[in-house]
Amino acid sequence: MLLVIDVGNTNITLGVFDGEALKGTFRMTTRQNRTSDEYGILMCNMLEYRGIPKDAVKDAIISSVVPDVMHSLASGVIKYFNTYPIHVGPGCKTGIRITSVNPKEIGADRIVDAVAAYELYGGPVLVLDFGTATTYDLITEDGCFAAGITSPGIEISAKALWQDAAKLPKIAIEKPESILAKETISSMQAGLVYGYIGQVEYIIRKVKEESGIENLKVVATGGLGKIIADETEMIDVYDTQLTLTGLRIIFEKTKKSRG
């Protein structure tokens, strides 16, 4: 089995694949003060709780946008699963060409999502990831990572609202019954959710306009993305497992290239 690990700014998401079948997903908060033993024991316990023995894991791959956790996390994988994980980065085979001014600035998570969207849904494709930040990445028909847009995530926007405005309360991020709000909480929810839908639709339209690609497929992923995807016809696919699948695809391509 293959253990895939995606280290984001807020959460670490793990998945276990048996071939192409995803057998389980797990999540822990991203913290920078865990030891390799803590990571190893946590991961083993999570797997075994789902009936997946740690000895069944023969390979691993890690994608990370948080460098400070990598040493302990990778060491935990080595010590407790007896395998050296592949790190998404230089030397990995992705099938995607990056043509930005500085390719090293493109986060590993964005590359992973791009690989999965292109392999699963074809190009041209616009990949939206609703994470701590919301990213929009354009992959052309021939597999070129052509452009990327980054905006504050919906949760960051929500936190700014209640942290910087003394009288506004912390709220659940959900769509209210109507945009015509009559009290504080639903008015905040309306501004956040409907405002974010508007941002997403405008950026998608603008990408299509400036790229000249009208037949652009739009694929979204990320925890809070479903709230938005359910409310707009401009998102074609919402795939909750896009990143984990991308890690599996990159592992398979890289392993094949190394013989």
Side-chain angles (χ1 to χ4, degrees), residues 2-76:
L2 171 67
L3 175 65
V4 300
I5 305 173
D6 173 48
V7 183
N9 289 297
T10 304
N11 293 305
I12 299 174
T13 306
L14 305 91
V16 178
F17 283 92
D18 185 0
E20 295 186 1
L22 184 59
K23 293 299 185 181
T25 62
F26 318 89
R27 185 167 294 195
M28 65 178 84
T29 56
T30 303
R31 292 173 51 191
Q32 298 180 13
N33 58 349
R34 286 192 178 107
T35 66
S36 59
D37 290 314
E38 288 173 318
Y39 276 121
I41 291 168
L42 272 172
M43 290 187 288
C44 289
N45 287 344
M46 287 178 174
L47 267 62
E48 291 184 4
Y49 182 78
R50 296 284 185 87
I52 303 171
K54 72 181 186 68
D55 292 340
V57 173
K58 303 300 181 184
D59 297 288
I61 183 169
I62 302 175
S63 165
S64 176
V65 296
V66 188
D68 289 348
V69 309
M70 284 301 290
H71 178 74
S72 293
L73 178 59
S75 296

Side-chain angles (χ1 to χ4, degrees), residues 22-146:
L22 184 59
K23 293 299 185 181
T25 62
F26 318 89
R27 185 167 294 195
M28 65 178 84
T29 56
T30 303
R31 292 173 51 191
Q32 298 180 13
N33 58 349
R34 286 192 178 107
T35 66
S36 59
D37 290 314
E38 288 173 318
Y39 276 121
I41 291 168
L42 272 172
M43 290 187 288
C44 289
N45 287 344
M46 287 178 174
L47 267 62
E48 291 184 4
Y49 182 78
R50 296 284 185 87
I52 303 171
K54 72 181 186 68
D55 292 340
V57 173
K58 303 300 181 184
D59 297 288
I61 183 169
I62 302 175
S63 165
S64 176
V65 296
V66 188
D68 289 348
V69 309
M70 284 301 290
H71 178 74
S72 293
L73 178 59
S75 296
V77 172
I78 295 166
K79 289 167 67 175
Y80 285 82
F81 295 95
N82 196 31
T83 186
Y84 284 81
I86 291 174
H87 296 220
V88 175
C92 283
K93 296 296 180 182
T94 65
I96 296 291
R97 293 181 295 108
I98 300 174
T99 58
S100 62
V101 175
N102 189 349
K104 292 182 179 179
E105 291 182 350
I106 305 297
D109 55 336
R110 299 174 81 153
I111 294 171
V112 170
D113 286 344
V115 168
Y118 185 72
E119 289 282 333
L120 295 176
Y121 305 106
V125 60
L126 183 65
V127 190
L128 281 60
D129 190 342
F130 294 88
T132 304
T134 298
T135 56
Y136 306 74
D137 294 319
L138 175 63
I139 316 302
T140 61
E141 187 172 2
D142 60 352
C144 173
F145 191 113

Side-chain angles (χ1 to χ4, degrees), residues 74 116 133 146 149 229:
I149 301 106

Side-chain angles (χ1 to χ4, degrees), residues 174 176 178-181 185-196:
E174 57 187 34
S178 170
I179 197 170
L180 302 176
I185 290 177
S186 60
S187 75
M188 292 170 66
Q189 291 171 330
L192 280 168
V193 176
Y194 287 107
Y196 218 83

Side-chain angles (χ1 to χ4, degrees), residues 98-237:
I98 300 174
T99 58
S100 62
V101 175
N102 189 349
K104 292 182 179 179
E105 291 182 350
I106 305 297
D109 55 336
R110 299 174 81 153
I111 294 171
V112 170
D113 286 344
V115 168
Y118 185 72
E119 289 282 333
L120 295 176
Y121 305 106
V125 60
L126 183 65
V127 190
L128 281 60
D129 190 342
F130 294 88
T132 304
T134 298
T135 56
Y136 306 74
D137 294 319
L138 175 63
I139 316 302
T140 61
E141 187 172 2
D142 60 352
C144 173
F145 191 113
I149 301 106
T150 306
S151 71
I154 189 168
E155 194 162 6
I156 287 179
S157 301
K159 285 180 180 177
L161 195 59
W162 66 64
Q163 287 178 358
D164 292 345
K167 290 189 175 182
L168 295 182
K170 185 174 181 178
I171 61 168
I173 301 173
E174 57 187 34
K175 185 175 76 73
E177 292 183 4
S178 170
I179 197 170
L180 302 176
K182 300 185 184 300
E183 41 74 36
T184 300
I185 290 177
S186 60
S187 75
M188 292 170 66
Q189 291 171 330
L192 280 168
V193 176
Y194 287 107
Y196 218 83
I197 294 167
Q199 178 202 112
V200 168
E201 292 185 339
Y202 180 82
I203 289 178
I204 293 171
R205 283 196 298 268
K206 200 66 177 174
V207 168
K208 288 181 177 181
E209 175 190 326
E210 293 200 12
S211 68
I213 305 172
E214 285 299 323
N215 63 329
L216 188 62
K217 183 175 284 289
V218 180
V219 177
T221 192
L224 291 170
K226 191 167 188 345
I227 298 173
I228 308 302
D230 285 347
E231 299 301 323
T232 175
E233 295 181 356
M234 297 191 73
I235 294 175
D236 300 305
V237 178

